[in-house]
């Protein structure tokens, strides 16, 4: 967040600025960006409006901070998962989707604010928001492509599948309401499992090696199965008494 005195930020100042941003996100989600004033934010935090100006100068500044935080955290965390070498594509996708779903469940006001205000965002902020969404789409699409190439995932359209998964995660911000009896983690786990089931190959349908020869072996199995089916149909179609 670009604010007055940011270079001299103290722990107390950082804490208060975080509270200002949290309250702004809540108010934007409840009332909309245009329906919220800086006085509303000041009242929610317990500051006078002149004192609030020591931290932020405008509503646009609050939105910029919100978008920048979203862009940095989402893209970087997803990229870290995709670049791990100790996980197979299915495990990466499960972790990536779980991370995204948990973000939506734990920070619903932030997502709803940006979603509702998308058409009204100032050009600079709208550009950052678009970059953030594209970064998330790019990481998930790339991971699905990797899984398809490795033979772990079915040959789906990676972009369409990624958009479907993102939509599934994003919708959590609208319908999920956490409570002690309904925590976010099991919900995120279920969504992650659903995402993996959308793309993973059935048991026994994964090639031994992600090579053309591995794909040929799967084709050979399919041809053998088709031959058996055709033979069974031919035998079933023989007239009675025919030797």
């Amino acid at each position: 967040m670009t604010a007055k005195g940011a270079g001299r930020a103290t722990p107390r100042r950082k804490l208060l600025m975080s509270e200002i941003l949290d309250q702004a996100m809540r108010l934007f989600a409840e009332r909309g960006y245009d329906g919220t004033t800086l006085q509303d934010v000041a009242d929610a935090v317990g500051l006078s409006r002149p004192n609030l100006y020591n931290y932020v100068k405008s509503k646009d500044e609050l939105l910029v901070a919100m978008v920048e935080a979203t862009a940095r955290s989402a893209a970087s965390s997803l990229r870290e998962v995709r670049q791990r070498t100790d996980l197979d594509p299915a495990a990466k996708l499960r972790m990536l989707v779980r991370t995204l779903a948990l973000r939506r469940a734990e920070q619903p006001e932030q997502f709803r604010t940006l979603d509702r205000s998308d058409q009204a965002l100032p050009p600079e902020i709208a550009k950052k928001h678009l970059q953030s969404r594209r970064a998330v789409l790019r990481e998930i699409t790339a991971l699905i492509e990797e899984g398809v190439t490795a033979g772990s995932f079915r040959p789906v359209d990676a972009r369409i599948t990624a958009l479907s998964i993102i939509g599934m995660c994003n919708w959590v911000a609208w319908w999920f309401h956490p409570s002690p009896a309904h925590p976010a983690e099991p919900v995120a786990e279920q969504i992650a499992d659903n995402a993996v089931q959308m793309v993973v190959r059935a048991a026994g349908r994964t090639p031994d090696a992600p090579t053309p020869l591995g794909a040929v072996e799967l084709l050979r199995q399919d041809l053998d199965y088709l031959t058996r089916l055709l033979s069974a149909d031919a035998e079933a179609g023989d007239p009675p008494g025919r030797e």
Side-chain angles (χ1 to χ4, degrees), residues 14-78:
K14 290 179 180 178
L15 186 63
L16 186 52
M17 288 176 68
S18 177
E19 175 67 12
I20 290 170
L21 184 56
D22 287 344
Q23 292 297 334
M25 286 190 294
R26 180 182 64 80
L27 290 169
F28 290 162
E30 292 176 357
R31 307 179 185 182
Y33 178 72
D34 292 334
T36 303
T37 66
L38 280 181
Q39 185 63 59
D40 295 330
V41 177
D43 292 342
V45 181
L47 293 174
S48 66
R49 184 160 177 165
N51 280 338
L52 182 65
Y53 280 126
N54 290 322
Y55 298 90
V56 294
K57 299 188 288 290
S58 67
K59 289 195 301 179
D60 282 3
E61 189 174 294
L62 290 170
L63 269 181
V64 168
M66 192 185 308
V67 172
E68 287 180 342
T70 301
R72 284 196 304 268
S73 60
S76 61
S77 61
L78 298 187

Side-chain angles (χ1 to χ4, degrees), residues 78 82 93 96 133-149 153 156-166:
L78 298 187
R82 187 171 65 82
L93 183 61
L96 187 150
R133 293 187 308 184
R134 285 178 173 172
V136 170
L137 175 60
R138 186 164 54 247
E139 294 300 326
I140 297 179
T141 301
L143 177 54
I144 293 172
E145 291 282 11
E146 291 173 9
V148 171
T149 301
F153 297 162
V156 296
D157 184 301
R159 188 173 187 275
I160 293 176
T161 305
L163 288 169
S164 300
I165 290 173
I166 291 171

Side-chain angles (χ1 to χ4, degrees), residues 44-212:
V45 181
L47 293 174
S48 66
R49 184 160 177 165
N51 280 338
L52 182 65
Y53 280 126
N54 290 322
Y55 298 90
V56 294
K57 299 188 288 290
S58 67
K59 289 195 301 179
D60 282 3
E61 189 174 294
L62 290 170
L63 269 181
V64 168
M66 192 185 308
V67 172
E68 287 180 342
T70 301
R72 284 196 304 268
S73 60
S76 61
S77 61
L78 298 187
R79 189 177 305 111
E80 287 175 4
V81 172
R82 187 171 65 82
Q83 292 177 344
R84 289 183 58 168
T85 58
D86 59 323
L87 299 175
D88 63 23
K92 288 183 184 180
L93 183 61
R94 179 174 278 106
M95 182 177 292
L96 187 150
V97 174
R98 182 181 182 279
T99 298
L100 198 59
L102 276 177
R103 287 182 181 277
R104 299 297 182 253
E106 295 171 350
Q107 300 175 329
E109 293 89 356
Q110 180 172 334
F111 177 79
R112 291 200 299 263
T113 295
L114 294 174
D115 192 50
R116 285 173 171 170
S117 307
D118 192 40
Q119 300 301 318
L121 293 176
E124 176 191 356
I125 303 173
K127 181 179 179 180
K128 289 180 179 293
H129 187 213
L130 180 61
Q131 290 172 341
S132 172
R133 293 187 308 184
R134 285 178 173 172
V136 170
L137 175 60
R138 186 164 54 247
E139 294 300 326
I140 297 179
T141 301
L143 177 54
I144 293 172
E145 291 282 11
E146 291 173 9
V148 171
T149 301
S152 300
F153 297 162
R154 294 179 291 104
V156 296
D157 184 301
R159 188 173 187 275
I160 293 176
T161 305
L163 288 169
S164 300
I165 290 173
I166 291 171
M168 186 165 56
C169 293
N170 286 351
W171 193 238
V172 172
W174 298 96
W175 64 261
F176 178 71
H177 303 286
S179 69
H182 194 208
E185 286 77 8
V187 173
E189 292 287 354
Q190 178 66 67
I191 292 174
D193 188 60
N194 291 345
V196 171
Q197 294 304 316
M198 287 172 61
V199 297
V200 72
R201 284 185 179 273
R205 297 296 301 155
T206 302
D208 294 332
T211 63

Side-chain angles (χ1 to χ4, degrees), residues 205 214-224:
R205 297 296 301 155
V216 168
E217 178 58 32
L218 289 180
L219 288 174
R220 188 175 291 121
Q221 294 174 22
D222 289 339
L223 289 173
D224 181 63

